Amino acid sequence: IAPFKGRLNGRIAELTGTGDGRLFGFFATRPATLAEIDPNTAAIMSEHVLPEIRAAAAWAHAFWGGRFYLFWSRSGESSHVSRVDLDGRVEHLGQSTRHLVVGAGVSTCAPTSLE
């Protein structure tokens, strides 16, 4: 929990960065929110409410190739995997049959686009 500015103040988030120095949070709101955060002030610079994702029990995310990969589950479920573009478009990739993902990471050297 961090003192984010605005609607997401006091909310819990998983944070990840991008190779070009941007900071994003995957917030455990209902529905979930993906937001860009100013790393100096904690101000929310942009946000996408993700009505398709209702993370409650576990969530994590990573950025690679210009997209976010979100891992999320509801209580008692294994993790779902969704890919989210920077414009907020969501594509569900599937659900693990046995795994609960509670942390994800990526190198800051990871590409910011696939072009």
Side-chain angles (χ1 to χ4, degrees):
I1 300 176
F4 300 109
K5 309 289 189 219
R7 180 181 77 84
L8 298 172
N9 183 20
R11 298 296 190 151
I12 299 171
E14 170 84 3
L15 302 177
T16 196
T18 64
D20 58 1
R22 297 164 70 186
L23 177 64
F24 290 85
F26 178 21
F27 287 82
T29 54
R30 290 183 186 214
T33 302
L34 180 65
E36 184 172 5
I37 303 163
D38 183 311
N40 296 311
T41 66
I44 302 300
M45 299 170 58
S46 66
E47 63 181 84
H48 297 285
V49 175
L50 308 171
E52 306 91 340
I53 299 175
R54 299 197 174 272
W59 65 100
H61 73 137
F63 182 83
W64 191 89
R67 296 176 172 163
F68 294 95
Y69 292 83
L70 281 55
F71 307 89
W72 55 279
S73 71
R74 293 178 281 259
S75 184
E77 292 183 344
S78 58
S79 290
H80 298 260
V81 181
S82 300
R83 183 169 48 208
V84 180
D85 292 335
L86 285 169
D87 64 5
R89 186 176 47 226
V90 177
E91 177 184 1
H92 295 290
L93 302 178
Q95 183 176 7
S96 168
T97 57
R98 292 183 249 162
H99 301 289
L100 182 63
V101 179
V102 295
V106 67
S107 169
T108 56
C109 297
T112 56
S113 73
L114 295 177
E115 299 174 8

